[in-house]
Amino acid sequence: MQSPPITVRELERADLPLLNRWRNDPGQIANLGAGFRFVSLEAESRWFDGYQGARANNVRLAVCAPDGAMIGVVYLLDIHWVHREAEFAIWIAEPAWRGRSCGAQATRLAIAHAFDDLNLQRLRLAVLPHNEAALRLYRRVGFRQEGLSRKAAYKQGQWHDVVQMGLLRDEYVPEAA
């Protein structure tokens, strides 16, 4: 199902209660690389303060539905200005918006920002092998598998491999997202 156009904007302090609700839902975290842990709203606020102090090397964007409601996040993290690279991450957290091309739209917007506005040369990401929807999207826009970190993520009492992927500016296929 195709969704209406989504937008991205910088994450704001007012977004923290919703982000905190998502982070405290174990089902939400199942396909993400990080393990589940409970996060208080106070800890979330301190995390946001840390982001504000590190904005020069991190871009944290809210993914918004046409009505402006936040439905997920997309990040460019640990930007290295000499090597011109960053870590890419995306999370469409609102279940009603999954499978409607929102992740593809947000991915396109964030990658265009990375390459066209920030003049980055390379993006990297890590994804769990069972997250097939994410793997399909990443491959469609040009990410290539660069490696496999064996038993690198501990989730729900089990160790999981993590697929390492990378995308160079000249490999990006915007129309395929």
Side-chain angles (χ1 to χ4, degrees), residues 137-154:
L137 169 61
Y138 299 147
R139 289 181 180 123
R140 208 166 50 235
V141 299
F143 276 94
R144 296 183 186 177
Q145 184 169 333
E146 297 180 335
L148 182 74
S149 298
R150 297 175 302 141
K151 295 186 179 183
Y154 186 75

Side-chain angles (χ1 to χ4, degrees), residues 13-24 41 44 63 69-72 91 93-94:
R13 188 171 297 280
D15 298 323
L16 295 184
L18 180 56
L19 186 60
N20 185 256
R21 182 172 58 86
W22 293 340
R23 286 191 212 220
N24 281 291
L41 192 53
E44 199 84 59
V63 178
M70 185 170 76
I71 61 172
W91 177 19
E94 288 296 331

Side-chain angles (χ1 to χ4, degrees), residues 6-8 61-65 69-74 90-92 102 106:
I6 56 99
T7 58
V8 295
L61 303 173
V63 178
C64 299
M70 185 170 76
I71 61 172
V73 293
V74 62
I90 185 167
W91 177 19
I92 302 300
C102 296

Side-chain angles (χ1 to χ4, degrees), residues 19 36 73 76-77 84 100 112-113 119-120 128 130 146:
L19 186 60
F36 176 77
V73 293
L76 300 169
L77 302 172
R84 313 301 301 173
R100 298 178 61 185
H113 182 55
N119 193 31
L120 297 181
L128 297 171
H130 68 264
E146 297 180 335

Side-chain angles (χ1 to χ4, degrees), residues 26-37 128 130 152-162:
Q28 285 280 357
I29 307 302
N31 281 329
L32 303 180
F36 176 77
R37 62 188 294 181
L128 297 171
H130 68 264
Y154 186 75
K155 298 180 68 64
Q156 299 173 324
Q158 296 181 23
W159 287 100
H160 298 271
D161 294 343
V162 176

Side-chain angles (χ1 to χ4, degrees), residues 5 7 24 26 35 40 52 82 104 115 122 126 130 135 148 159 165:
T7 58
N24 281 291
S40 70
Q52 289 294 299
V82 173
F115 292 155
R122 181 179 190 284
H130 68 264
L135 284 166
L148 182 74
W159 287 100
M165 301 181 85

Side-chain angles (χ1 to χ4, degrees), residues 93-116:
E94 288 296 331
W97 289 92
R98 292 187 197 133
R100 298 178 61 185
S101 84
C102 296
Q105 290 181 59
T107 295
R108 264 191 250 108
L109 292 169
I111 291 173
H113 182 55
F115 292 155
D116 299 338

